[in-house]
Amino acid sequence: GWVFWRVMACGRRSSDSQRQVILFILCVCVCQSGAETLRYSLPEGMERDSFVANIAKDLGVPLSQLAARKARVVSEGNEQLFRLNQNTGVLTAKESLDREEICPQSDTCTLVFKIFFENPLQLIRGEVEVRDVNDNSPVFPENEMVLKILETASPGSRFPLESAQDKDVGINGLQNYSLAPNPHFSLALGTGKDGVKYVELVLQSQLDREEQGELNLLLTATDGGSPPRSGTAQVRIVVVDANDNIPVFEREVYEVRLAENSPLEQLVVRVAAADPDEGSNGEVRYVLTQTSERSRQLFQLNPATGEIRVAGNVDFEEAKTHKMVVKATDGGGLSAHCKVQVEVLDVNDNAPEIALTSLTASIPEDAPPRTVVALFSVRDRDSGDNGRTECSIDGDLPFSLTPTFDNYYELRTNAALDRERTAEYNITITATDWGKTRLSSRESIFVQISDVNDNPPEFTQEVYTMSVTENNSPMLRIGTMNATDADAGKNARVNYALVREEGKEQPEVSVNPENGDVYVLRPLDYEKVRTLEVTVRAADGGSPQLSAQAVLRIVVRDENDNAPVLLHPPPDSDAAGELVPRWAPSGYLVAKVVAVDADAGQNAWLSYELAKATEPGLFRVGLHSGEVRTARAVTERDAARQRLIVLVRDRGQPSRSATATLAVALVDGFSEAHLRVSEEAPAADPDGPLTLYLIASLVCVSALFLATAVAAVVVKVRRARQSETETLPTFPTTATESNAGSLPRSYVYDVCFAAGTVNSEFRFLRPLFPCFPAGLPPGPGEQRSSVCSQDAANLEGE
């Protein structure tokens, strides 16, 4: 290990990159071929997170390299017993270590671990010896042992006793036996070929059943720990009458081979002991003695027949041999012993075990081939061919396995990756042994492919058309533009923005940069703006940034926000005066109410109706034309002054309306009309200079006025007789009447009278220029100041 770090340090100081590569290859070869083993020792029973060793100091590795190279420790087996702190380089025990639990029935307990370094990959083997502590006392299988001894037994006879078991080893294990003082027996200690101590009771003086039929002795087993621990058992000696033959086994040692995982109740061996005595003294019973507790659990001895059968799961990996002592006792209490040794044969009953050591959970989609994804090891607890393994990958995936060393494998990529095609891989690794009946195990490794920004956003449509009703509230959401990006994470996080064009005003819309919601910033007016069109850009959050564009077209829908505007009669006059002769028939055209609506479609369709009249049955109004006609012939009973209120309504929801007031005078002739009009208070005359001129020339034109009035009455009567459906005096050919009952503003004509003095002037067929309310601009060719019709009589209604 020290050689590796020295060579790597030299490689880092060298400026020649080729030399570093050669040194790296040399280091890897040295590490794989002859890496030293770190050896440590600690006593069992130490607390959790106890100090084991300073790995960084022992290897001479700077602490910064531990984290940079992702140093970690891996114990053999499924349980991880040690933990490596990358910040301090200290190796600690994860849990308190119990030698008797970790290494049962073993004199030495050595735990093997491996330390892994990456960049470059390095493996260092380490061993920790768990030293035994005297934490277990010797224990006898039974608290009381009963021996039946013939009274004829000669001094010097030996009687085996049950051995005590001590889980500790070495000096802490069982060391000595002692017997309480008594006149008849002493102890003899011995050690078998397998190193196990045994104890025998030695008869020192002749027994006499008649003198003492039973003796109780205290047997003590002591270990060599400091302080020593001990265990006791009572030995009860029952003196029996003479039985001069003891059972004799056919063999002193029975050696048997048994396959592991043998079924329960399978016969292992049958021991037999013969006793030539008769009666109960010749009846032999068998029992296990000086046998470990585990062997007693795995095997069962029939006390009558001597058959030993399988009673538990015999596992080769747990113990390769089992040793038992069978005691045969006849009815007289005489006994003999034999040994049974069971050799367990290995069977391929363990599937390979896959242990994942290192895993890169996510790799970029532009990673080059041969990129290391994972490092794992394979172990099979069987032996021989049953323990040899091979690995493979299921399916056709762009990955391959490369064997490294000590049953370790590397999982590498072997082709280019594309996250948009496959975002993740569930790689199944199969490990199979070489046994006659091949066993296998599988391990799934989940690898995610991290995204690289290689896809621009894409709008779902090239052109988005949305609509909004005019007079909308500010910041009104009208829809959403959606762009998707095949990438992931921030590379797929789409931000939206309007594309600003130089020389153009800021648009009336905005786009939420996060979700693409479209908002109208301010209220729109259909009469000013019918459509809006902007370009929206969608850009992802990758680097470099990729983007796409789409067109957003907003159509403004009309709302009934404009009431009808009266062109005739003017809305600023109290009442428009009209003259109707008393001989007027039914259907006689009195006047035409003309209005326009700035809205569009149904909101601009106008209808006319008579809301109020002095005599409701005398007049009617055309629903769509606005023409006011007589509903019947005028009679002498009709009041001379009639006041009509015409309601003009559009078809919007809700509808809007305006009213026009008409003052109608029923006259027999113009002179009468003149007198009646002159009685009224003169209205404010907007044509002040013209009125003054008329007053000054009244005397000169009085004769002309009378002639003109007579001519006007004749013309009106003639027109009424021609057609009841005729609506207005002849208009220019370019004037068209709309379905809504309104005319183009530039071509509305009417008969106008000016009043205000005793002498009035008749104006024949002058063009009527509408007086628009504030904010309504005149049409092409129109004038702002109009010579509007003045109230001829300024007649008061009811």
Side-chain angles (χ1 to χ4, degrees), residues 566 568-570 573-580 589-594 609-610 612-614 619-621 626-629 641-647 659-665 750 789 791 794-798:
L566 290 172
H568 178 75
S573 62
D574 292 339
E578 301 291 343
L579 299 178
V580 176
L589 177 63
V590 177
K592 181 178 177 68
V593 178
V594 181
E609 59 182 275
L610 186 60
K612 188 175 182 182
T614 303
F619 300 96
R620 58 182 173 86
V621 179
E627 296 175 347
V628 181
R629 294 179 180 270
R641 290 180 297 176
Q642 300 284 333
R643 185 178 180 86
L644 307 179
I645 298 177
V646 179
L647 179 66
T659 58
T661 304
L662 297 175
V664 179
D750 203 349
S789 300
D791 293 346
N794 195 20
L795 301 178
E796 295 294 331
E798 293 182 357

Side-chain angles (χ1 to χ4, degrees), residues 11 81 115 126 149 170 175 185 207 234 248 305 312 390-391 445 507 509 575 590 616 711:
L81 302 177
I115 300 176
I149 302 177
Q175 296 295 325
F185 295 94
L207 297 175
Q234 290 287 335
V248 178
T305 62
E390 60 183 20
C391 291
I445 297 177
V509 297
V590 177

Side-chain angles (χ1 to χ4, degrees), residues 470 526-527 530 558-565 595-608 624 648-656 738-743:
E470 65 172 331
Y526 173 82
E527 288 71 37
R530 301 293 178 90
D558 182 47
E559 185 179 53
N560 191 25
D561 59 341
N562 292 283
V565 178
V596 294
D597 196 314
D599 294 320
Q602 183 174 335
N603 296 329
W605 295 355
L606 303 180
S607 61
Y608 303 83
H624 300 295
V648 183
R649 190 195 312 268
D650 59 25
R651 295 189 181 180
Q653 291 295 331
S655 64
R656 293 177 176 267
S738 67
N739 293 332
S742 60
L743 294 176

Side-chain angles (χ1 to χ4, degrees), residues 689-750:
L690 181 58
T691 303
L692 293 176
Y693 174 77
L694 292 176
I695 294 174
S697 60
L698 179 62
V699 177
C700 300
V701 298
S702 58
L704 180 60
F705 172 75
L706 293 174
T708 304
V710 172
V713 172
V714 172
V715 172
K716 223 171 203 183
V717 171
R718 183 177 299 172
R719 287 178 180 173
R721 291 177 177 177
Q722 286 178 357
S723 175
E724 292 183 0
T725 59
E726 186 175 354
T727 59
L728 286 173
T730 304
F731 292 93
T733 57
T734 59
T736 60
E737 183 175 333
S738 67
N739 293 332
S742 60
L743 294 176
R745 299 175 184 175
S746 301
Y747 301 101
V748 179
Y749 289 80
D750 203 349

Side-chain angles (χ1 to χ4, degrees), residues 341-501:
Q341 295 183 356
V342 179
E343 179 184 358
V344 181
L345 303 178
D346 184 37
V347 174
N348 189 23
D349 60 340
N350 290 284
E353 298 175 357
I354 300 175
L356 192 62
T357 302
S358 175
L359 172 63
T360 303
S362 178
I363 58 176
E365 60 180 319
D366 59 350
R370 304 294 298 166
T371 299
V372 177
V373 178
L375 176 68
F376 63 92
S377 63
V378 179
R379 186 185 72 158
D380 194 316
R381 294 192 299 167
D382 294 320
S383 61
D385 287 344
N386 296 332
R388 294 179 59 188
T389 59
E390 60 183 20
C391 291
S392 62
I393 296 178
D394 295 352
D396 186 14
L397 300 177
F399 297 91
S400 62
L401 294 177
T402 302
T404 55
F405 52 86
D406 198 15
N407 290 331
Y408 277 83
Y409 293 83
E410 288 179 341
L411 177 65
R412 295 175 177 266
T413 61
N414 61 3
L417 305 175
D418 186 0
R419 192 203 66 83
E420 287 70 38
R421 183 184 302 168
T422 306
E424 56 191 23
Y425 290 92
N426 191 2
I427 306 169
T428 301
I429 299 174
T430 303
T432 308
D433 60 25
W434 286 32
K436 185 175 182 181
T437 301
R438 306 190 71 176
L439 301 179
S440 62
S441 61
R442 294 188 174 189
E443 179 73 21
S444 293
I445 297 177
F446 185 77
V447 178
Q448 277 192 323
I449 309 302
S450 60
D451 185 53
V452 174
N453 192 27
D454 55 351
N455 292 280
E458 293 184 1
F459 280 98
T460 56
Q461 301 171 219
E462 294 183 359
V463 178
Y464 289 81
T465 302
M466 302 179 186
S467 61
V468 60
T469 304
E470 65 172 331
N471 302 320
N472 56 280
S473 59
M475 293 304 296
L476 176 66
R477 178 184 176 276
I478 61 174
T480 301
M481 300 183 70
N482 185 30
T484 58
D485 195 312
D487 294 321
K490 69 175 184 178
N491 296 330
R493 192 179 301 117
V494 180
N495 287 308
Y496 303 87
L498 295 177
V499 177
R500 305 287 183 179
E501 297 184 10

Side-chain angles (χ1 to χ4, degrees), residues 168-199:
D168 295 325
V169 296
I171 191 64
N172 295 324
L174 180 64
Q175 296 295 325
N176 193 21
Y177 290 92
S178 61
L179 189 66
N182 66 91
H184 296 284
F185 295 94
S186 65
L187 289 180
L189 303 180
T191 302
K193 295 181 180 180
D194 53 1
V196 177
K197 297 182 180 300
Y198 62 89
V199 59

